[in-house]
Amino acid sequence: MKAIYISHLVTDMEMKAVLEEWPGIGIETIEFGVGDNLDALDRTVKKYRMRMGGWLTERPFSVHGPFLDLNPGSYDSLIRETTMVRFLQAYEGAAMMKADRILFHTGFVPETCYETGWPDKAVEFWKRFLDEKGGKIPVHLENVLDLHWETAAYILDKVNCPYFTACVDIGHAAAYSEQSPLEWLSGLGSRIGHLHLHDNDGKEDLHQALGEGELPIRKVLKMAEACCPEASVTIENTDIRDIRESLRFLLPRGRENSADAFAAAPEAPENRNGDGPELPPVLNGSLNRVN
């Protein structure tokens, strides 16, 4: 069954109200995404348990890892090492909280990271990270400013770990990528283990309710059902009204606990995921940078 989470981007009171309204919906916390909280990990875990109480054991629970100033594919070894420390701390926090999964951003920044060299550094980083952790918690790699799905596919395929999969953020793909959310879903295909769902105007990362923006949400959901039917989902809105609207969009009346959250959408194109990605020219060495 697909797990569906709400990102804890609203107040505790609002979060608990939505959890009360929607049986079975889980929590995706951002508490382990801040360096200060990781510096005081035991206290952070204790305080969050006190704040959220039994909801943490009664519902699915996901952790969003840190990302500010971090980059697993950095050309600077000290930045990679700092990133490793922070990611391992977040993973330890997730283990302490008995989380179902943990998500990390790719860290790719156009015009700073280049699609030649950077992916190989990222591959080295993730192989080391996953060797240390041993697969106790599934890890998802989330796109943010990434230009092409092929870069994420390259990293995932080279690392080649069954509990290391993609998190496709459809809002980020629409706002920042040179490829559409449908291309990201079709391209990454079975490599996808998790989805971040929110809407926008295709230009800015607005985190609107599903159906409120310009994205073809129903086509996205149908494509997801074809490409990654077992992927879990996080609703990533910053306003309680948008969260409720997204849940109503995703789970029509009478299917509040259903695993068929994607089923009501029109037919999507066939999944193109095959033996491996056809890498963009910059990854094949014909260009030195992304223009």
Side-chain angles (χ1 to χ4, degrees):
M1 177 178 288
K2 306 179 188 76
I4 301 176
Y5 306 82
I6 308 165
S7 184
H8 197 161
L9 297 171
V10 293
T11 69
D12 292 355
M13 183 178 296
E14 290 172 330
M15 191 74 175
K16 292 173 184 177
V18 176
L19 294 171
E20 186 70 38
E21 294 163 11
W22 292 84
I25 298 299
I27 302 164
E28 186 169 293
T29 185
I30 59 170
E31 291 298 305
F32 302 96
V34 180
D36 288 348
N37 288 348
L38 297 174
D39 288 336
L41 190 57
D42 290 341
R43 184 178 66 188
T44 297
V45 168
K46 182 178 180 180
K47 287 179 66 176
Y48 195 65
R49 282 175 174 161
M50 290 176 62
R51 285 166 48 198
M52 295 305 294
W55 293 113
L56 296 175
T57 55
E58 296 168 9
R59 299 297 181 90
F61 184 67
S62 173
V63 169
H64 195 304
F67 58 90
L68 297 172
D69 301 321
L70 303 176
N71 191 331
S74 174
Y75 300 100
D76 189 310
S77 61
L78 293 180
I79 293 175
R80 291 198 306 276
E81 197 59 36
T82 297
T83 302
M84 180 66 71
V85 169
R86 288 306 196 196
F87 281 18
L88 289 172
Q89 287 174 323
Y91 190 99
E92 181 182 352
M96 292 167 69
M97 298 291 297
K98 296 181 169 55
D100 314 323
R101 62 194 72 250
I102 186 167
L103 298 88
F104 296 101
H105 290 179
T106 64
F108 183 86
V109 180
E111 301 300 328
T112 298
C113 308
Y114 305 128
E115 287 179 305
T116 48
W118 183 90
D120 292 310
K121 293 294 185 184
V123 168
E124 293 174 10
F125 177 96
W126 285 112
K127 283 184 175 181
R128 177 184 162 197
F129 179 92
L130 294 166
D131 283 346
E132 291 194 26
K133 300 326 297 176
K136 297 177 183 177
I137 304 172
V139 176
H140 305 298
L141 191 62
E142 178 189 351
N143 62 296
V144 184
L145 301 178
D146 307 69
L147 299 174
H148 306 111
W149 66 262
E150 290 93 338
T151 308
Y154 179 86
I155 294 168
L156 293 166
D157 290 349
K158 289 291 186 180
V159 174
N160 191 27
C161 176
Y163 46 86
F164 183 51
T165 60
C167 167
V168 173
D169 187 303
I170 65 165
H172 292 164
Y176 302 125
S177 175
E178 295 177 355
Q179 299 164 324
S180 72
L182 293 174
E183 289 176 294
W184 274 81
L185 291 169
S186 180
L188 286 172
S190 60
R191 302 178 185 88
I192 301 169
H194 193 70
L195 298 169
H196 272 180
L197 300 182
H198 49 101
D199 212 334
N200 62 47
D201 61 0
K203 300 175 183 178
E204 296 183 63
D205 188 23
L206 301 173
H207 286 263
Q208 292 173 302
L210 299 180
E212 291 287 317
E214 301 296 324
L215 306 191
I217 298 297
R218 292 204 180 278
K219 290 184 179 180
V220 164
L221 296 179
K222 191 64 178 179
M223 176 70 81
E225 179 66 17
C227 294
C228 49
E230 298 306 313
S232 49
V233 171
T234 295
I235 298 294
E236 203 172 43
N237 300 132
T238 58
D239 182 275
I240 189 171
R241 292 167 295 183
D242 289 343
I243 291 172
R244 287 177 169 135
E245 187 62 32
S246 291
L247 286 169
R248 284 191 288 266
F249 189 102
L250 190 63
L251 294 171
R253 186 180 297 276
R255 291 220 312 265
E256 288 83 355
N257 291 304
S258 174
D260 299 324
F262 303 149
E267 191 170 345
E270 184 181 355
N271 177 9
R272 293 188 286 106
N273 183 33
D275 295 332
E278 183 178 345
L279 300 177
V282 283
L283 281 179
N284 286 328
S286 60
L287 294 175
N288 290 324
R289 59 180 295 164
V290 177
N291 294 316

